[in-house]
Each structure stands twice: as structure tokens, then as C-alpha cells.
Amino acid sequence: MSDAATRRLMKELAQLKSEAPEGLLVDNTSTSNDLKQWKIGVVGAEGTLYAGEVFMLQFTFGPQYPFNSPEVMFVGETIPAHPHIYSNGHICLSILSDDWTPALSVQSVCLSILSMLSSSKEKKHPIDDAIYVRTCSKNPSKTRWWFHDDSV
Amino acid sequence: MANEPQKSDDNGQAAEAVVTDDEIVLQDQQLKTIEDEQKSVPLVATLAPFSILCAEYDNETSAAFLSKATELSEVYGEIRYIRGDGNCFYRAILVGLIEIMLKDRARLEKFIASSRDWTRTLVELGFPDWTCTDFCDFFIEFLEKIHSGVHTEEAVYTILNDDGSANYILMFFRLITSAFLKQNSEEYAPFIDEGMTVAQYCEQEIEPMWKDADHLAINSLIKAAGTRVRIEYMDRTAAPNGGWHYDIPSDDQQIAPEITLLYRPGHYDVIYKKDSTEASEIEN
């Protein structure tokens, strides 16, 4: 971790703990001691297909954070079935790769993912799930996505 | 998400995009090689005599560039190389401005004030509040420490060469470029590829790190930072006006540029005129 990355992550954590937006679960066990890995709970919004369901998002930060994007995926027993989320937890979302900017944050990523869940009309994984999960890299940031239809 | 950039293919499928681990390893190695090459140049190099540029070219393989470099060496005495990591234009302007402010206290004070104004403007324009103000605060603190003498000139160059701090400062320049474009979106929209809004263009081309500045970004940053820049070209096909150099803003030819950059395909370095009395005869 560079000094800049650590400084920024400490600020993000303090801000998230003091005023976590609705639907995000953060506590003292959320981050590793060196701040390299975070686990944030996200709660499906009322009135959506995932209402009340709790999922776990894992963030892994490299030394170039926030200039490079964090690696973000769902982990744990329940991976949300969603047309942009593979059953291994990988998420197809452009701000996690090409469209990442240092002005984004853990919080804005969580909120984008929550909003992606909220707009889903169907609880199912992408149709290429089987082949993707079998052949993809362990690191979702390495996937060269062709972004899916963004209407969902 | 409806407002995500459109990159989907016609079928909305991801299957063709699956890349194997072997391919990823190969790509990573290639990226590493490029990165190592980039890092052989410091983010901001020390001043070097302009003749170092002439020495880069060979009379047999690149006679035209050698002749242009020699011609420029009549007018310019020094060059400061900037690392080619996709941020070189932004970094070159940052360095040029800091050099002016190290010598001109009034200018430094004015720039601190305008940086505070930019912080407010970013928030008003709806940039993500605290991450953006964090970049602004970091930059303003850096300028204030120059003002108070906490940062000596030597310390300034050390900071400009420290990856984390230097890129934090550089983000301020990307943000004001983006803000300037968003403020003037009506004027600039016609120059952006069809199907993309000014906001989308900024989010995809200006705000992410390591993305080269195109003419729109160059114009916007120079105006946002309130400076006057001359870009010298090694060949005439590269200049927007088909000439050997190009001044921005272009509407004010009477006032001399205060920063001069040398453009070589895909890259900018900062160059410095010889003593003005010595060079003025040769210039025109």
C-alpha cells in the first residue's frame, strides 16, 4: 500500500462508518488490518426482487488505489442471481474496469451495485455463466468484458 | 444500469470476451514491460540541456526530426522530460505552473484562490462530493506549503516525483479539465463523438488516470488553469493549424505564452527558451 492509498482508504472507512448509506452494512470487522481487503454487506432494497436479502461484497485494493480500480466481487454463501452477476461472484460493471475514475469510492461502487440489483427484472445469472465460470481468471479485474445489455 | 456507458455488442453477450489465464499471463507480462519502460523516466525529470533531444535522433534514420530538433535548439535551451504514462500533458502543465508559482508569489496566491473556487464549482457541478474535495484539499495544502516556505523548491520536485502524492495532485488537473468541459458543455458538445454526452466523455476520457489528453482536454485544461501555452511540433502534420507551433488560447496572440511544451507523437515534454534577448532574433 502506498501512503496515498492508505490515507485515502482510512478516510473512506471513517466516512462510511460515520454515515453509512441505507442498504450498506459496515462494522469494525469489515476491513483487514492493513486495509487491503474489505467486506461490505449490501441489503436488497424494499420493493425489489432482492428485498431484505443480504449479500457480501469483497473489495481488494492494490497499491495504486484510488488511481486504479479495486477488485470487487460477491463472496459468501449467497451470490445474487442477476443478469450481470456470475455464479462465482464476478460482476460485470464498467466502473469496475475501464470506466473507473479516482473520484469514485467504495461507497459509490456499493451504491451502483445496489442500484444494479434494484433494476433487475429477473433473478438469473448471465446466459454464458457456465462457460465463464469454468474459464475465467480468479481476478475479475482481468476479465475483458464486453458489457452486457445495460437495460437491466 | 441505464446510465452505464454503452459497450454491449448486439446480442448483449459476454461469451466471446472470455480470456484464458494463459492469455492473461501473457498480457500481464506485456503490460509489465511497457510499465518498466515508462518507469525508466522519472515522473518529472531534472532540467537537461536541449542538445539531449538532438542526440536522440540519427541523421540517417530520422533526418527530418534531427533537423527540426536542431532548429528548436536555436531558440530553446533546456528540456524537462515527463514520464509517458498517459498523464504527460496534465503533468507537463502542472510542472509548468508550479515553476511559475515558485518564482511568482502573487501568482501562487491567485492560484490558491482559484483552486478554492474550483473546489466549490466541482461540488456544484455534482462531482462526487468528498472524494473530489479530497483531491482539491490535497493540492491546495501543497500550494499553501509552498507559500509558507514549508516546501522548499527541492521538496516540491521530490513530491512531484512521488507516485502517490504526485498523482493525487494530478487528479486536481483532470477534475478541473472535466469541470470546465461540463460548464461549457454546449460549446464543446459538437466536438464529441456522436452518441456520447459531454458528461460521459469526461467520465470515460478525462477523469480516469493514464488516459491521454486529446485536443479538447488540452484546450479545456489550459483555459481552466488560466494559463497560456505554446505547443511546438516536430512535424507540421501534427499541429491543429498545420504550423510548427500552436498557441492556446489562440485568440490572444499578443501575449507571450508562459509555458512551452514539445509534442512528439503521443507525448509532451516541457521546454524552456534561452535567455529572451539571445533568442528573440532567431525566433521569427
PDB file of all heavy atoms in Angstrom, chain B residues 123-144:
ATOM      1  N   VAL B 123     -18.255  20.730  -6.622  1.00  0.00           N
ATOM      2  CA  VAL B 123     -19.389  20.275  -5.815  1.00  0.00           C
ATOM      3  C   VAL B 123     -20.699  20.721  -6.460  1.00  0.00           C
ATOM      4  O   VAL B 123     -21.636  19.937  -6.611  1.00  0.00           O
ATOM      5  CB  VAL B 123     -19.272  20.802  -4.362  1.00  0.00           C
ATOM      6  CG1 VAL B 123     -20.504  20.435  -3.546  1.00  0.00           C
ATOM      7  CG2 VAL B 123     -18.018  20.229  -3.702  1.00  0.00           C
ATOM      8  N   GLU B 124     -20.722  21.984  -6.905  1.00  0.00           N
ATOM      9  CA  GLU B 124     -21.938  22.491  -7.556  1.00  0.00           C
ATOM     10  C   GLU B 124     -22.284  21.702  -8.816  1.00  0.00           C
ATOM     11  O   GLU B 124     -23.447  21.509  -9.141  1.00  0.00           O
ATOM     12  CB  GLU B 124     -21.760  23.970  -7.933  1.00  0.00           C
ATOM     13  CG  GLU B 124     -21.946  24.917  -6.761  1.00  0.00           C
ATOM     14  CD  GLU B 124     -21.334  26.297  -7.040  1.00  0.00           C
ATOM     15  OE1 GLU B 124     -21.120  26.629  -8.230  1.00  0.00           O
ATOM     16  OE2 GLU B 124     -21.063  26.996  -6.057  1.00  0.00           O
ATOM     17  N   LEU B 125     -21.244  21.264  -9.535  1.00  0.00           N
ATOM     18  CA  LEU B 125     -21.491  20.529 -10.768  1.00  0.00           C
ATOM     19  C   LEU B 125     -21.872  19.071 -10.513  1.00  0.00           C
ATOM     20  O   LEU B 125     -22.104  18.310 -11.444  1.00  0.00           O
ATOM     21  CB  LEU B 125     -20.242  20.570 -11.668  1.00  0.00           C
ATOM     22  CG  LEU B 125     -19.968  21.881 -12.396  1.00  0.00           C
ATOM     23  CD1 LEU B 125     -18.579  21.865 -13.021  1.00  0.00           C
ATOM     24  CD2 LEU B 125     -21.020  22.141 -13.486  1.00  0.00           C
ATOM     25  N   GLY B 126     -21.882  18.686  -9.238  1.00  0.00           N
ATOM     26  CA  GLY B 126     -22.334  17.341  -8.907  1.00  0.00           C
ATOM     27  C   GLY B 126     -21.248  16.279  -8.941  1.00  0.00           C
ATOM     28  O   GLY B 126     -21.537  15.091  -9.004  1.00  0.00           O
ATOM     29  N   PHE B 127     -19.976  16.697  -8.893  1.00  0.00           N
ATOM     30  CA  PHE B 127     -18.907  15.699  -8.786  1.00  0.00           C
ATOM     31  C   PHE B 127     -19.040  15.004  -7.436  1.00  0.00           C
ATOM     32  O   PHE B 127     -19.475  15.623  -6.472  1.00  0.00           O
ATOM     33  CB  PHE B 127     -17.537  16.383  -8.871  1.00  0.00           C
ATOM     34  CG  PHE B 127     -17.105  16.688 -10.280  1.00  0.00           C
ATOM     35  CD1 PHE B 127     -17.648  17.762 -10.968  1.00  0.00           C
ATOM     36  CD2 PHE B 127     -16.175  15.892 -10.913  1.00  0.00           C
ATOM     37  CE1 PHE B 127     -17.261  18.045 -12.258  1.00  0.00           C
ATOM     38  CE2 PHE B 127     -15.783  16.164 -12.212  1.00  0.00           C
ATOM     39  CZ  PHE B 127     -16.323  17.239 -12.886  1.00  0.00           C
ATOM     40  N   PRO B 128     -18.643  13.719  -7.351  1.00  0.00           N
ATOM     41  CA  PRO B 128     -18.763  13.016  -6.075  1.00  0.00           C
ATOM     42  C   PRO B 128     -18.107  13.848  -4.979  1.00  0.00           C
ATOM     43  O   PRO B 128     -16.914  14.153  -5.070  1.00  0.00           O
ATOM     44  CB  PRO B 128     -18.000  11.712  -6.312  1.00  0.00           C
ATOM     45  CG  PRO B 128     -17.947  11.539  -7.786  1.00  0.00           C
ATOM     46  CD  PRO B 128     -18.002  12.917  -8.388  1.00  0.00           C
ATOM     47  N   ASP B 129     -18.890  14.261  -4.030  1.00  0.00           N
ATOM     48  CA  ASP B 129     -18.513  15.309  -3.086  1.00  0.00           C
ATOM     49  C   ASP B 129     -17.161  15.091  -2.408  1.00  0.00           C
ATOM     50  O   ASP B 129     -16.191  15.754  -2.707  1.00  0.00           O
ATOM     51  CB  ASP B 129     -19.636  15.473  -2.062  1.00  0.00           C
ATOM     52  CG  ASP B 129     -19.425  16.690  -1.190  1.00  0.00           C
ATOM     53  OD1 ASP B 129     -18.316  17.259  -1.241  1.00  0.00           O
ATOM     54  OD2 ASP B 129     -20.357  17.080  -0.476  1.00  0.00           O
ATOM     55  N   TRP B 130     -17.085  14.101  -1.514  1.00  0.00           N
ATOM     56  CA  TRP B 130     -15.888  14.132  -0.672  1.00  0.00           C
ATOM     57  C   TRP B 130     -14.636  13.614  -1.363  1.00  0.00           C
ATOM     58  O   TRP B 130     -13.545  14.075  -1.074  1.00  0.00           O
ATOM     59  CB  TRP B 130     -16.148  13.455   0.665  1.00  0.00           C
ATOM     60  CG  TRP B 130     -16.028  11.979   0.604  1.00  0.00           C
ATOM     61  CD1 TRP B 130     -17.012  11.089   0.359  1.00  0.00           C
ATOM     62  CD2 TRP B 130     -14.818  11.230   0.764  1.00  0.00           C
ATOM     63  NE1 TRP B 130     -16.495   9.840   0.340  1.00  0.00           N
ATOM     64  CE2 TRP B 130     -15.158   9.898   0.595  1.00  0.00           C
ATOM     65  CE3 TRP B 130     -13.487  11.586   1.039  1.00  0.00           C
ATOM     66  CZ2 TRP B 130     -14.212   8.889   0.670  1.00  0.00           C
ATOM     67  CZ3 TRP B 130     -12.554  10.584   1.118  1.00  0.00           C
ATOM     68  CH2 TRP B 130     -12.920   9.250   0.937  1.00  0.00           C
ATOM     69  N   THR B 131     -14.770  12.696  -2.315  1.00  0.00           N
ATOM     70  CA  THR B 131     -13.541  12.237  -2.993  1.00  0.00           C
ATOM     71  C   THR B 131     -12.913  13.388  -3.776  1.00  0.00           C
ATOM     72  O   THR B 131     -11.707  13.560  -3.772  1.00  0.00           O
ATOM     73  CB  THR B 131     -13.795  11.067  -3.971  1.00  0.00           C
ATOM     74  OG1 THR B 131     -14.921  11.366  -4.784  1.00  0.00           O
ATOM     75  CG2 THR B 131     -14.011   9.759  -3.245  1.00  0.00           C
ATOM     76  N   CYS B 132     -13.755  14.182  -4.437  1.00  0.00           N
ATOM     77  CA  CYS B 132     -13.216  15.284  -5.238  1.00  0.00           C
ATOM     78  C   CYS B 132     -12.643  16.385  -4.364  1.00  0.00           C
ATOM     79  O   CYS B 132     -11.570  16.910  -4.647  1.00  0.00           O
ATOM     80  CB  CYS B 132     -14.278  15.837  -6.170  1.00  0.00           C
ATOM     81  SG  CYS B 132     -14.605  14.678  -7.499  1.00  0.00           S
ATOM     82  N   THR B 133     -13.351  16.715  -3.297  1.00  0.00           N
ATOM     83  CA  THR B 133     -12.804  17.766  -2.424  1.00  0.00           C
ATOM     84  C   THR B 133     -11.507  17.287  -1.767  1.00  0.00           C
ATOM     85  O   THR B 133     -10.611  18.082  -1.509  1.00  0.00           O
ATOM     86  CB  THR B 133     -13.804  18.216  -1.339  1.00  0.00           C
ATOM     87  OG1 THR B 133     -14.586  17.107  -0.944  1.00  0.00           O
ATOM     88  CG2 THR B 133     -14.723  19.281  -1.845  1.00  0.00           C
ATOM     89  N   ASP B 134     -11.388  15.976  -1.572  1.00  0.00           N
ATOM     90  CA  ASP B 134     -10.151  15.428  -1.019  1.00  0.00           C
ATOM     91  C   ASP B 134      -8.962  15.727  -1.953  1.00  0.00           C
ATOM     92  O   ASP B 134      -7.897  16.131  -1.499  1.00  0.00           O
ATOM     93  CB  ASP B 134     -10.322  13.916  -0.826  1.00  0.00           C
ATOM     94  CG  ASP B 134      -9.217  13.308   0.017  1.00  0.00           C
ATOM     95  OD1 ASP B 134      -8.789  13.956   0.986  1.00  0.00           O
ATOM     96  OD2 ASP B 134      -8.779  12.184  -0.293  1.00  0.00           O
ATOM     97  N   PHE B 135      -9.159  15.526  -3.269  1.00  0.00           N
ATOM     98  CA  PHE B 135      -8.086  15.843  -4.221  1.00  0.00           C
ATOM     99  C   PHE B 135      -7.777  17.337  -4.200  1.00  0.00           C
ATOM    100  O   PHE B 135      -6.618  17.741  -4.228  1.00  0.00           O
ATOM    101  CB  PHE B 135      -8.484  15.425  -5.647  1.00  0.00           C
ATOM    102  CG  PHE B 135      -8.546  13.932  -5.833  1.00  0.00           C
ATOM    103  CD1 PHE B 135      -9.742  13.298  -6.127  1.00  0.00           C
ATOM    104  CD2 PHE B 135      -7.397  13.162  -5.719  1.00  0.00           C
ATOM    105  CE1 PHE B 135      -9.796  11.918  -6.296  1.00  0.00           C
ATOM    106  CE2 PHE B 135      -7.438  11.784  -5.882  1.00  0.00           C
ATOM    107  CZ  PHE B 135      -8.639  11.161  -6.166  1.00  0.00           C
ATOM    108  N   CYS B 136      -8.833  18.154  -4.157  1.00  0.00           N
ATOM    109  CA  CYS B 136      -8.633  19.617  -4.138  1.00  0.00           C
ATOM    110  C   CYS B 136      -7.881  20.038  -2.877  1.00  0.00           C
ATOM    111  O   CYS B 136      -6.918  20.802  -2.942  1.00  0.00           O
ATOM    112  CB  CYS B 136      -9.968  20.354  -4.205  1.00  0.00           C
ATOM    113  SG  CYS B 136     -10.902  20.033  -5.697  1.00  0.00           S
ATOM    114  N   ASP B 137      -8.348  19.522  -1.724  1.00  0.00           N
ATOM    115  CA  ASP B 137      -7.714  19.901  -0.455  1.00  0.00           C
ATOM    116  C   ASP B 137      -6.230  19.549  -0.451  1.00  0.00           C
ATOM    117  O   ASP B 137      -5.388  20.308   0.022  1.00  0.00           O
ATOM    118  CB  ASP B 137      -8.398  19.190   0.726  1.00  0.00           C
ATOM    119  CG  ASP B 137      -9.826  19.683   0.926  1.00  0.00           C
ATOM    120  OD1 ASP B 137     -10.189  20.714   0.320  1.00  0.00           O
ATOM    121  OD2 ASP B 137     -10.593  19.036   1.674  1.00  0.00           O
ATOM    122  N   PHE B 138      -5.933  18.366  -0.989  1.00  0.00           N
ATOM    123  CA  PHE B 138      -4.546  17.902  -1.021  1.00  0.00           C
ATOM    124  C   PHE B 138      -3.683  18.864  -1.847  1.00  0.00           C
ATOM    125  O   PHE B 138      -2.585  19.240  -1.445  1.00  0.00           O
ATOM    126  CB  PHE B 138      -4.489  16.493  -1.619  1.00  0.00           C
ATOM    127  CG  PHE B 138      -3.158  15.817  -1.478  1.00  0.00           C
ATOM    128  CD1 PHE B 138      -2.848  15.119  -0.320  1.00  0.00           C
ATOM    129  CD2 PHE B 138      -2.222  15.867  -2.499  1.00  0.00           C
ATOM    130  CE1 PHE B 138      -1.622  14.477  -0.182  1.00  0.00           C
ATOM    131  CE2 PHE B 138      -0.992  15.232  -2.368  1.00  0.00           C
ATOM    132  CZ  PHE B 138      -0.694  14.540  -1.209  1.00  0.00           C
ATOM    133  N   PHE B 139      -4.232  19.281  -2.990  1.00  0.00           N
ATOM    134  CA  PHE B 139      -3.491  20.188  -3.867  1.00  0.00           C
ATOM    135  C   PHE B 139      -3.332  21.564  -3.219  1.00  0.00           C
ATOM    136  O   PHE B 139      -2.249  22.152  -3.229  1.00  0.00           O
ATOM    137  CB  PHE B 139      -4.202  20.306  -5.220  1.00  0.00           C
ATOM    138  CG  PHE B 139      -3.532  21.241  -6.178  1.00  0.00           C
ATOM    139  CD1 PHE B 139      -2.223  21.020  -6.573  1.00  0.00           C
ATOM    140  CD2 PHE B 139      -4.196  22.346  -6.689  1.00  0.00           C
ATOM    141  CE1 PHE B 139      -1.573  21.874  -7.459  1.00  0.00           C
ATOM    142  CE2 PHE B 139      -3.562  23.203  -7.579  1.00  0.00           C
ATOM    143  CZ  PHE B 139      -2.256  22.975  -7.961  1.00  0.00           C
ATOM    144  N   ILE B 140      -4.422  22.073  -2.640  1.00  0.00           N
ATOM    145  CA  ILE B 140      -4.366  23.407  -2.026  1.00  0.00           C
ATOM    146  C   ILE B 140      -3.371  23.411  -0.865  1.00  0.00           C
ATOM    147  O   ILE B 140      -2.573  24.339  -0.705  1.00  0.00           O
ATOM    148  CB  ILE B 140      -5.782  23.862  -1.580  1.00  0.00           C
ATOM    149  CG1 ILE B 140      -6.663  24.075  -2.827  1.00  0.00           C
ATOM    150  CG2 ILE B 140      -5.712  25.140  -0.740  1.00  0.00           C
ATOM    151  CD1 ILE B 140      -8.142  24.250  -2.549  1.00  0.00           C
ATOM    152  N   GLU B 141      -3.372  22.310  -0.097  1.00  0.00           N
ATOM    153  CA  GLU B 141      -2.416  22.209   1.009  1.00  0.00           C
ATOM    154  C   GLU B 141      -0.975  22.233   0.483  1.00  0.00           C
ATOM    155  O   GLU B 141      -0.102  22.879   1.057  1.00  0.00           O
ATOM    156  CB  GLU B 141      -2.681  20.904   1.769  1.00  0.00           C
ATOM    157  CG  GLU B 141      -2.039  20.872   3.140  1.00  0.00           C
ATOM    158  CD  GLU B 141      -2.162  19.487   3.777  1.00  0.00           C
ATOM    159  OE1 GLU B 141      -3.246  18.875   3.678  1.00  0.00           O
ATOM    160  OE2 GLU B 141      -1.155  19.027   4.346  1.00  0.00           O
ATOM    161  N   PHE B 142      -0.769  21.540  -0.640  1.00  0.00           N
ATOM    162  CA  PHE B 142       0.556  21.521  -1.268  1.00  0.00           C
ATOM    163  C   PHE B 142       0.981  22.948  -1.652  1.00  0.00           C
ATOM    164  O   PHE B 142       2.099  23.384  -1.365  1.00  0.00           O
ATOM    165  CB  PHE B 142       0.483  20.594  -2.496  1.00  0.00           C
ATOM    166  CG  PHE B 142       1.671  20.614  -3.413  1.00  0.00           C
ATOM    167  CD1 PHE B 142       2.883  20.048  -3.021  1.00  0.00           C
ATOM    168  CD2 PHE B 142       1.573  21.162  -4.691  1.00  0.00           C
ATOM    169  CE1 PHE B 142       3.977  20.036  -3.882  1.00  0.00           C
ATOM    170  CE2 PHE B 142       2.660  21.147  -5.559  1.00  0.00           C
ATOM    171  CZ  PHE B 142       3.861  20.592  -5.152  1.00  0.00           C
ATOM    172  N   LEU B 143       0.049  23.698  -2.270  1.00  0.00           N
ATOM    173  CA  LEU B 143       0.361  25.085  -2.663  1.00  0.00           C
ATOM    174  C   LEU B 143       0.601  25.961  -1.443  1.00  0.00           C
ATOM    175  O   LEU B 143       1.519  26.790  -1.426  1.00  0.00           O
ATOM    176  CB  LEU B 143      -0.796  25.672  -3.487  1.00  0.00           C
ATOM    177  CG  LEU B 143      -1.088  25.052  -4.851  1.00  0.00           C
ATOM    178  CD1 LEU B 143      -2.256  25.781  -5.512  1.00  0.00           C
ATOM    179  CD2 LEU B 143       0.133  25.104  -5.762  1.00  0.00           C
ATOM    180  N   GLU B 144      -0.211  25.755  -0.409  1.00  0.00           N
ATOM    181  CA  GLU B 144      -0.045  26.587   0.794  1.00  0.00           C
ATOM    182  C   GLU B 144       1.307  26.344   1.453  1.00  0.00           C
ATOM    183  O   GLU B 144       1.911  27.257   2.001  1.00  0.00           O
ATOM    184  CB  GLU B 144      -1.186  26.301   1.779  1.00  0.00           C
ATOM    185  CG  GLU B 144      -2.463  27.035   1.383  1.00  0.00           C
ATOM    186  CD  GLU B 144      -3.674  26.631   2.204  1.00  0.00           C
ATOM    187  OE1 GLU B 144      -3.637  25.530   2.810  1.00  0.00           O
ATOM    188  OE2 GLU B 144      -4.654  27.407   2.225  1.00  0.00           O
TER     189      GLU B 144
END
